mmCIF file of all heavy atoms in Angstrom:
data_model
loop_
_atom_site.group_PDB
_atom_site.id
_atom_site.type_symbol
_atom_site.label_atom_id
_atom_site.label_comp_id
_atom_site.label_asym_id
_atom_site.label_seq_id
_atom_site.Cartn_x
_atom_site.Cartn_y
_atom_site.Cartn_z
ATOM 1 N N PHE A 1 0.831 -1.202 0.000
ATOM 2 C CA PHE A 1 0.000 0.000 0.000
ATOM 3 C C PHE A 1 0.867 1.254 0.000
ATOM 4 O O PHE A 1 0.589 2.219 -0.731
ATOM 5 C CB PHE A 1 -0.935 -0.006 1.211
ATOM 6 C CG PHE A 1 -1.791 1.225 1.330
ATOM 7 C CD1 PHE A 1 -2.747 1.525 0.377
ATOM 8 C CD2 PHE A 1 -1.628 2.098 2.397
ATOM 9 C CE1 PHE A 1 -3.533 2.663 0.477
ATOM 10 C CE2 PHE A 1 -2.408 3.234 2.513
ATOM 11 C CZ PHE A 1 -3.366 3.517 1.545
ATOM 12 N N ASN A 2 1.918 1.249 0.778
ATOM 13 C CA ASN A 2 2.811 2.418 0.835
ATOM 14 C C ASN A 2 3.491 2.658 -0.508
ATOM 15 O O ASN A 2 3.602 3.800 -0.977
ATOM 16 C CB ASN A 2 3.855 2.228 1.938
ATOM 17 C CG ASN A 2 3.246 2.280 3.325
ATOM 18 O OD1 ASN A 2 2.207 2.915 3.517
ATOM 19 N ND2 ASN A 2 3.869 1.608 4.277
ATOM 20 N N VAL A 3 3.943 1.579 -1.145
ATOM 21 C CA VAL A 3 4.601 1.698 -2.451
ATOM 22 C C VAL A 3 3.605 2.207 -3.497
ATOM 23 O O VAL A 3 3.908 3.124 -4.271
ATOM 24 C CB VAL A 3 5.188 0.337 -2.881
ATOM 25 C CG1 VAL A 3 5.653 0.392 -4.339
ATOM 26 C CG2 VAL A 3 6.341 -0.062 -1.971
ATOM 27 N N PHE A 4 2.423 1.611 -3.522
ATOM 28 C CA PHE A 4 1.402 1.980 -4.514
ATOM 29 C C PHE A 4 0.927 3.414 -4.305
ATOM 30 O O PHE A 4 0.770 4.181 -5.262
ATOM 31 C CB PHE A 4 0.238 0.990 -4.412
ATOM 32 C CG PHE A 4 -0.846 1.189 -5.434
ATOM 33 C CD1 PHE A 4 -0.555 1.553 -6.744
ATOM 34 C CD2 PHE A 4 -2.187 0.981 -5.097
ATOM 35 C CE1 PHE A 4 -1.559 1.715 -7.694
ATOM 36 C CE2 PHE A 4 -3.187 1.139 -6.024
ATOM 37 C CZ PHE A 4 -2.880 1.515 -7.328
ATOM 38 N N SER A 5 0.724 3.800 -3.073
ATOM 39 C CA SER A 5 0.221 5.143 -2.766
ATOM 40 C C SER A 5 1.156 6.244 -3.259
ATOM 41 O O SER A 5 0.713 7.317 -3.690
ATOM 42 C CB SER A 5 0.003 5.304 -1.256
ATOM 43 O OG SER A 5 -1.008 4.452 -0.808
ATOM 44 N N LYS A 6 2.454 5.962 -3.201
ATOM 45 C CA LYS A 6 3.428 6.967 -3.636
ATOM 46 C C LYS A 6 3.355 7.223 -5.140
ATOM 47 O O LYS A 6 3.831 8.247 -5.619
ATOM 48 C CB LYS A 6 4.841 6.518 -3.247
ATOM 49 C CG LYS A 6 5.095 6.588 -1.739
ATOM 50 C CD LYS A 6 6.469 6.049 -1.391
ATOM 51 C CE LYS A 6 6.701 6.081 0.131
ATOM 52 N NZ LYS A 6 7.999 5.478 0.507
ATOM 53 N N GLN A 7 2.769 6.285 -5.876
ATOM 54 C CA GLN A 7 2.632 6.450 -7.324
ATOM 55 C C GLN A 7 1.343 7.181 -7.697
ATOM 56 O O GLN A 7 1.098 7.458 -8.865
ATOM 57 C CB GLN A 7 2.657 5.079 -8.015
ATOM 58 C CG GLN A 7 3.958 4.314 -7.786
ATOM 59 C CD GLN A 7 3.960 2.973 -8.474
ATOM 60 O OE1 GLN A 7 3.697 2.865 -9.664
ATOM 61 N NE2 GLN A 7 4.252 1.915 -7.722
ATOM 62 N N LEU A 8 0.529 7.473 -6.688
ATOM 63 C CA LEU A 8 -0.755 8.140 -6.912
ATOM 64 C C LEU A 8 -0.722 9.561 -6.372
ATOM 65 O O LEU A 8 -0.019 9.855 -5.393
ATOM 66 C CB LEU A 8 -1.884 7.359 -6.228
ATOM 67 C CG LEU A 8 -2.193 5.968 -6.801
ATOM 68 C CD1 LEU A 8 -3.021 5.166 -5.807
ATOM 69 C CD2 LEU A 8 -2.925 6.093 -8.127
ATOM 70 N N GLY A 9 -1.512 10.425 -6.994
ATOM 71 C CA GLY A 9 -1.641 11.795 -6.511
ATOM 72 C C GLY A 9 -2.762 11.914 -5.501
ATOM 73 O O GLY A 9 -3.123 10.938 -4.829
ATOM 74 N N ASN A 10 -3.343 13.119 -5.416
ATOM 75 C CA ASN A 10 -4.387 13.371 -4.417
ATOM 76 C C ASN A 10 -5.689 13.860 -5.030
ATOM 77 O O ASN A 10 -6.472 14.543 -4.385
ATOM 78 C CB ASN A 10 -3.886 14.384 -3.381
ATOM 79 C CG ASN A 10 -2.817 13.792 -2.479
ATOM 80 O OD1 ASN A 10 -3.043 12.771 -1.837
ATOM 81 N ND2 ASN A 10 -1.644 14.417 -2.464
ATOM 82 N N SER A 11 -5.926 13.489 -6.284
ATOM 83 C CA SER A 11 -7.212 13.821 -6.897
ATOM 84 C C SER A 11 -8.304 12.974 -6.247
ATOM 85 O O SER A 11 -8.021 11.997 -5.530
ATOM 86 C CB SER A 11 -7.175 13.552 -8.400
ATOM 87 O OG SER A 11 -7.094 12.153 -8.644
ATOM 88 N N ILE A 12 -9.547 13.316 -6.503
ATOM 89 C CA ILE A 12 -10.665 12.548 -5.937
ATOM 90 C C ILE A 12 -10.575 11.089 -6.358
ATOM 91 O O ILE A 12 -10.735 10.173 -5.534
ATOM 92 C CB ILE A 12 -12.016 13.153 -6.387
ATOM 93 C CG1 ILE A 12 -12.206 14.542 -5.771
ATOM 94 C CG2 ILE A 12 -13.179 12.234 -6.002
ATOM 95 C CD1 ILE A 12 -13.428 15.280 -6.266
ATOM 96 N N ASN A 13 -10.316 10.846 -7.638
ATOM 97 C CA ASN A 13 -10.265 9.466 -8.134
ATOM 98 C C ASN A 13 -9.073 8.702 -7.581
ATOM 99 O O ASN A 13 -9.180 7.516 -7.241
ATOM 100 C CB ASN A 13 -10.220 9.460 -9.663
ATOM 101 C CG ASN A 13 -11.515 9.957 -10.278
ATOM 102 O OD1 ASN A 13 -12.561 9.956 -9.631
ATOM 103 N ND2 ASN A 13 -11.450 10.379 -11.526
ATOM 104 N N GLU A 14 -7.924 9.373 -7.459
ATOM 105 C CA GLU A 14 -6.747 8.700 -6.925
ATOM 106 C C GLU A 14 -6.902 8.412 -5.438
ATOM 107 O O GLU A 14 -6.458 7.356 -4.943
ATOM 108 C CB GLU A 14 -5.501 9.541 -7.204
ATOM 109 C CG GLU A 14 -5.086 9.495 -8.672
ATOM 110 C CD GLU A 14 -4.078 10.560 -9.033
ATOM 111 O OE1 GLU A 14 -4.395 11.765 -8.835
ATOM 112 O OE2 GLU A 14 -2.990 10.214 -9.520
ATOM 113 N N ASN A 15 -7.551 9.284 -4.719
ATOM 114 C CA ASN A 15 -7.816 9.022 -3.300
ATOM 115 C C ASN A 15 -8.789 7.860 -3.125
ATOM 116 O O ASN A 15 -8.673 7.075 -2.177
ATOM 117 C CB ASN A 15 -8.361 10.275 -2.612
ATOM 118 C CG ASN A 15 -7.266 11.295 -2.321
ATOM 119 O OD1 ASN A 15 -6.092 10.935 -2.163
ATOM 120 N ND2 ASN A 15 -7.627 12.557 -2.257
ATOM 121 N N TYR A 16 -9.740 7.741 -4.048
ATOM 122 C CA TYR A 16 -10.672 6.601 -3.987
ATOM 123 C C TYR A 16 -9.925 5.296 -4.212
ATOM 124 O O TYR A 16 -10.173 4.291 -3.525
ATOM 125 C CB TYR A 16 -11.794 6.746 -5.022
ATOM 126 C CG TYR A 16 -12.671 5.501 -5.081
ATOM 127 C CD1 TYR A 16 -13.612 5.246 -4.090
ATOM 128 C CD2 TYR A 16 -12.515 4.563 -6.100
ATOM 129 C CE1 TYR A 16 -14.393 4.094 -4.108
ATOM 130 C CE2 TYR A 16 -13.287 3.408 -6.140
ATOM 131 C CZ TYR A 16 -14.231 3.178 -5.145
ATOM 132 O OH TYR A 16 -14.993 2.037 -5.169
ATOM 133 N N ILE A 17 -9.016 5.286 -5.175
ATOM 134 C CA ILE A 17 -8.228 4.075 -5.455
ATOM 135 C C ILE A 17 -7.441 3.671 -4.210
ATOM 136 O O ILE A 17 -7.401 2.493 -3.832
ATOM 137 C CB ILE A 17 -7.282 4.316 -6.647
ATOM 138 C CG1 ILE A 17 -8.079 4.442 -7.946
ATOM 139 C CG2 ILE A 17 -6.265 3.178 -6.771
ATOM 140 C CD1 ILE A 17 -7.262 4.919 -9.125
ATOM 141 N N LYS A 18 -6.824 4.646 -3.554
ATOM 142 C CA LYS A 18 -6.073 4.349 -2.324
ATOM 143 C C LYS A 18 -6.983 3.797 -1.239
ATOM 144 O O LYS A 18 -6.646 2.822 -0.559
ATOM 145 C CB LYS A 18 -5.347 5.613 -1.834
ATOM 146 C CG LYS A 18 -4.125 5.974 -2.667
ATOM 147 C CD LYS A 18 -3.362 7.159 -2.088
ATOM 148 C CE LYS A 18 -3.896 8.466 -2.576
ATOM 149 N NZ LYS A 18 -3.023 9.618 -2.220
ATOM 150 N N SER A 19 -8.153 4.417 -1.102
ATOM 151 C CA SER A 19 -9.110 3.969 -0.089
ATOM 152 C C SER A 19 -9.614 2.561 -0.381
ATOM 153 O O SER A 19 -9.732 1.731 0.530
ATOM 154 C CB SER A 19 -10.288 4.947 -0.041
ATOM 155 O OG SER A 19 -11.306 4.472 0.818
ATOM 156 N N LEU A 20 -9.895 2.278 -1.648
ATOM 157 C CA LEU A 20 -10.388 0.962 -2.044
ATOM 158 C C LEU A 20 -9.347 -0.110 -1.745
ATOM 159 O O LEU A 20 -9.664 -1.176 -1.197
ATOM 160 C CB LEU A 20 -10.726 0.968 -3.543
ATOM 161 C CG LEU A 20 -11.310 -0.310 -4.138
ATOM 162 C CD1 LEU A 20 -12.654 -0.641 -3.507
ATOM 163 C CD2 LEU A 20 -11.458 -0.174 -5.657
ATOM 164 N N PHE A 21 -8.101 0.168 -2.086
ATOM 165 C CA PHE A 21 -7.008 -0.784 -1.824
ATOM 166 C C PHE A 21 -6.836 -1.003 -0.323
ATOM 167 O O PHE A 21 -6.735 -2.145 0.147
ATOM 168 C CB PHE A 21 -5.715 -0.258 -2.436
ATOM 169 C CG PHE A 21 -4.599 -1.265 -2.451
ATOM 170 C CD1 PHE A 21 -4.308 -1.983 -3.592
ATOM 171 C CD2 PHE A 21 -3.829 -1.491 -1.309
ATOM 172 C CE1 PHE A 21 -3.274 -2.924 -3.612
ATOM 173 C CE2 PHE A 21 -2.801 -2.424 -1.308
ATOM 174 C CZ PHE A 21 -2.528 -3.144 -2.468
ATOM 175 N N GLU A 22 -6.820 0.086 0.419
ATOM 176 C CA GLU A 22 -6.616 -0.009 1.871
ATOM 177 C C GLU A 22 -7.738 -0.794 2.545
ATOM 178 O O GLU A 22 -7.491 -1.682 3.368
ATOM 179 C CB GLU A 22 -6.523 1.393 2.473
ATOM 180 C CG GLU A 22 -6.286 1.403 3.972
ATOM 181 C CD GLU A 22 -6.170 2.810 4.532
ATOM 182 O OE1 GLU A 22 -6.613 3.764 3.848
ATOM 183 O OE2 GLU A 22 -5.646 2.952 5.651
ATOM 184 N N ASN A 23 -8.977 -0.489 2.198
ATOM 185 C CA ASN A 23 -10.116 -1.164 2.820
ATOM 186 C C ASN A 23 -10.178 -2.646 2.453
ATOM 187 O O ASN A 23 -10.620 -3.473 3.252
ATOM 188 C CB ASN A 23 -11.427 -0.485 2.413
ATOM 189 C CG ASN A 23 -11.590 0.876 3.060
ATOM 190 O OD1 ASN A 23 -11.034 1.136 4.131
ATOM 191 N ND2 ASN A 23 -12.325 1.762 2.419
ATOM 192 N N ALA A 24 -9.741 -2.967 1.242
ATOM 193 C CA ALA A 24 -9.776 -4.367 0.812
ATOM 194 C C ALA A 24 -8.691 -5.182 1.504
ATOM 195 O O ALA A 24 -8.972 -6.235 2.102
ATOM 196 C CB ALA A 24 -9.629 -4.462 -0.704
ATOM 197 N N TYR A 25 -7.452 -4.719 1.448
ATOM 198 C CA TYR A 25 -6.328 -5.569 1.841
ATOM 199 C C TYR A 25 -5.777 -5.306 3.237
ATOM 200 O O TYR A 25 -5.148 -6.185 3.819
ATOM 201 C CB TYR A 25 -5.205 -5.430 0.802
ATOM 202 C CG TYR A 25 -5.627 -5.944 -0.558
ATOM 203 C CD1 TYR A 25 -5.960 -5.058 -1.582
ATOM 204 C CD2 TYR A 25 -5.725 -7.300 -0.798
ATOM 205 C CE1 TYR A 25 -6.370 -5.525 -2.822
ATOM 206 C CE2 TYR A 25 -6.135 -7.781 -2.032
ATOM 207 C CZ TYR A 25 -6.458 -6.885 -3.046
ATOM 208 O OH TYR A 25 -6.869 -7.364 -4.265
ATOM 209 N N LEU A 26 -6.008 -4.124 3.779
ATOM 210 C CA LEU A 26 -5.509 -3.835 5.120
ATOM 211 C C LEU A 26 -6.560 -4.054 6.199
ATOM 212 O O LEU A 26 -6.242 -4.090 7.386
ATOM 213 C CB LEU A 26 -4.979 -2.388 5.203
ATOM 214 C CG LEU A 26 -3.516 -2.177 4.790
ATOM 215 C CD1 LEU A 26 -3.294 -2.569 3.330
ATOM 216 C CD2 LEU A 26 -3.115 -0.734 4.998
ATOM 217 N N LYS A 27 -7.818 -4.237 5.782
ATOM 218 C CA LYS A 27 -8.895 -4.408 6.759
ATOM 219 C C LYS A 27 -9.560 -5.775 6.659
ATOM 220 O O LYS A 27 -10.636 -5.987 7.212
ATOM 221 C CB LYS A 27 -9.922 -3.291 6.599
ATOM 222 C CG LYS A 27 -9.337 -1.912 6.901
ATOM 223 C CD LYS A 27 -10.374 -0.813 6.812
ATOM 224 C CE LYS A 27 -9.750 0.549 7.129
ATOM 225 N NZ LYS A 27 -10.737 1.662 7.044
ATOM 226 N N HIS A 28 -8.940 -6.695 5.893
ATOM 227 C CA HIS A 28 -9.435 -8.068 5.821
ATOM 228 C C HIS A 28 -8.259 -9.010 6.057
ATOM 229 O O HIS A 28 -7.123 -8.707 5.693
ATOM 230 C CB HIS A 28 -10.092 -8.341 4.465
ATOM 231 C CG HIS A 28 -11.364 -7.583 4.270
ATOM 232 N ND1 HIS A 28 -11.399 -6.312 3.728
ATOM 233 C CD2 HIS A 28 -12.653 -7.899 4.577
ATOM 234 C CE1 HIS A 28 -12.657 -5.884 3.703
ATOM 235 N NE2 HIS A 28 -13.424 -6.821 4.214
#
């Protein structure tokens, strides 16, 4: 998640992608 997040910006869509990844893999 840390590696992937650094490749993303802070637009609405990029923040959603980060949130989706985090909720899927860090909370299960």
Side-chain angles (χ1 to χ4, degrees):
F1 177 65
N2 291 333
V3 170
F4 184 38
S5 295
K6 289 176 182 176
Q7 299 180 52
L8 293 164
N10 289 304
S11 69
I12 293 174
N13 292 340
E14 287 166 302
N15 283 333
Y16 173 76
I17 290 170
K18 286 185 273 190
S19 173
L20 182 63
F21 191 99
E22 181 179 18
N23 289 334
Y25 296 104
L26 273 61
K27 296 183 180 180
H28 292 89

